[in-house]
Amino acid sequence: MIRLGLLGGLLLALTLGALSLHVPGARTIPVLETKNAFVAILGVSAAVYLVAVALVQRRPAGRRAIWLVLLIAAALRLPLLVSTPFLSTDIFRYVWDGRVQVAGINPYRYIPDEPELAPLRDTAIFPHINRAEWAPTIYPPAAQAIFAAVGFVWSSVTGVKAAMVGFEILAVGCLLRLLAAAGLPRERVLIYAWNPLPVWAFAGNGHIDAAAAALVAAALLLRVRRRDGWAGVALGLAIATKFLPAVVAPVLWRARAGWWAAAACIGTVVALYAAYSSAGWLVFGDLGSYGPEEGYDSGAGFWLLAGIARLAALPDVAGTVYKAVAVVALASLGAWYAFVRRPDDPVSLCAAAGVMMAAATCAISPHYPWYFAWLAVPCVLAPAPAVVWLSASPILMYLDTFGDRFILPSVIYVPAILLALSGLRRRVPALRPIEGNT
């Protein structure tokens, strides 16, 4: 427990040290050298975190260790919760969408710059909304419902960040119950709670991914408890918050009862979209421009194709072929979990969820680090080295990968691939010669 306390204290010191490099009130870190130093400190934090993960898996730290873990987790988040977000501007769109709904307007109907919304503009939120001049909101209806709730209760940047920390508390609560169901030490919740990527992404910048992560944790817990219908509802809420959690659906499938989960999931998503259907087809927001903007249409936005493009020009169909192969691969993996492997106990369920979540996230290879933060959830019960690495190391992407979709991301993906292959080698027994055939 002493070693754990020292590592937690070091994580807190590093977090405060990184925060001290930010000019209070500034929306960015404009000086390149300062930003490099900032990300270097985050990288050291990730290394310390990985040591803590290894330590907590080796030996029980004692019954009181959970209180130390939770205390450090809260201490890591508090200074970031009250600071100005400076690693992303997404949170200003969240506040704006909530404000629009509080005014009784469907958030999908107008872009922020349209004259119909002029009375809602101010100097604190509106000037910092990204893509305000041309892009409608891209966030799905469950996310919009969260923005609206925050808008009614505490319409501010801090209000959104507090809500995201609230979802983190929900995630931790679900994970503690999953640990209890698996008979594992409760202090292993630090695998999520001390991970610096969720700390900075959720408490620091209030990303809606915190809600998706918490709802996935709730879906896994409900599945373990055989509450299949409610597990489907939780997953439907997660999908209608961030879309990507749809890949967890095959893991939740259970013979016969799986249909209840599927119906509840689909019904939840449909009901949420119906609540905003007054906007017509605009209810799908800015999804149509997301692919081209991220380079997914041409293929240049995918890490693997970005690497190939350095050697030879990509054909026009490269992006389409890549997406087709990725969909087939993910569907095949999901079918194997749903109908062949069928994980049922808490550990195997989280292990399968971690594989599906990591595979899908790597397939789209986002250059936004917070897209990886949800991977820390299944690692609490099933800390596969490759998934743990992917849940923390993308914090280095805060260096900015908009102009480089291959070199810096390779620091994330190549070790993950090597760790995954190493894990497969350990699971597959070596073939031995049959006696008499040597």
Side-chain angles (χ1 to χ4, degrees), residues 277-293:
S277 61
S278 63
W281 289 107
L282 295 176
V283 75
F284 296 106
D286 193 37
L287 283 177
S289 63
Y290 183 78
E293 182 182 343

Side-chain angles (χ1 to χ4, degrees), residues 46-65:
V48 172
Y49 159 76
L50 293 174
V51 173
V53 170
L55 179 63
V56 81
Q57 291 182 76
R58 287 177 183 171
R59 62 173 70 89
R63 287 184 295 178
R64 292 182 295 176

Side-chain angles (χ1 to χ4, degrees), residues 96 100 105 107 110-121 126:
W96 177 261
V100 169
I105 302 171
Y110 305 108
I111 63 174
D113 203 42
E114 289 192 90
E116 289 82 357
L117 302 183
L120 302 179
R121 295 173 192 161
F126 180 76

Side-chain angles (χ1 to χ4, degrees), residues 142-397:
Q144 292 295 344
I146 293 168
F147 303 155
V150 175
F152 277 107
V153 176
W154 189 2
S155 181
S156 67
V157 165
T158 305
V160 172
K161 293 206 289 182
M164 295 307 112
V165 171
F167 277 110
E168 286 204 279
I169 292 172
L170 171 61
V172 168
C174 292
L175 290 169
L176 285 172
R177 290 179 180 273
L178 282 167
L179 286 169
L184 294 171
R186 293 184 298 169
E187 62 267 21
R188 282 179 54 154
V189 79
L190 76 76
I191 296 175
Y192 173 85
W194 286 15
N195 190 314
L197 183 51
V199 168
W200 283 95
F202 302 154
N205 290 275
H207 285 291
I208 191 63
D209 304 63
L215 291 166
V216 167
L220 291 170
L221 176 61
L222 290 164
R223 169 64 178 77
V224 166
R225 292 186 169 184
R226 300 293 194 271
R227 305 289 181 87
D228 296 274
W230 287 111
V233 171
L235 184 62
L237 290 170
I239 293 169
T241 300
K242 192 65 181 180
F243 295 130
L244 202 52
V247 299
V248 180
V251 176
L252 301 182
W253 182 268
R254 193 159 61 92
R256 290 174 293 202
W259 293 108
W260 287 107
C265 178
I266 295 170
T268 299
V269 174
V270 170
L272 285 165
Y273 269 102
Y276 289 89
S277 61
S278 63
W281 289 107
L282 295 176
V283 75
F284 296 106
D286 193 37
L287 283 177
S289 63
Y290 183 78
E293 182 182 343
E294 295 298 314
Y296 292 154
D297 283 6
S298 66
F302 298 112
W303 170 71
L304 181 61
L305 294 186
I308 296 174
R310 288 175 169 266
L311 303 174
L314 293 175
D316 293 339
V317 298
T320 302
V321 171
Y322 177 92
K323 287 180 283 189
V325 171
V327 168
V328 170
L330 287 171
S332 301
L333 183 60
W336 186 73
Y337 279 125
F339 303 114
V340 180
R341 178 68 174 83
R342 288 186 177 177
D344 198 51
D345 64 279
V347 174
S348 63
L349 198 69
C350 287
V355 171
M356 291 298 301
M357 291 160 65
T361 306
C362 289
I364 64 172
S365 52
H367 57 89
Y368 302 113
W370 53 89
Y371 275 56
F372 294 84
W374 73 319
L375 299 181
V377 167
C379 290
V380 170
L381 274 80
V387 184
V388 173
W389 172 262
L390 286 169
S391 76
S393 61
I395 205 163
L396 300 175
M397 288 184 177

Side-chain angles (χ1 to χ4, degrees), residues 5-19 41 45 48 71-79 194 200:
L6 291 174
L7 290 170
L10 182 54
L11 270 177
L12 180 57
L14 289 166
T15 301
L16 295 174
L19 186 59
I41 294 176
S45 296
V48 172
L71 178 63
I72 294 295
L76 289 170
R77 286 162 173 79
L78 183 59
W194 286 15
W200 283 95

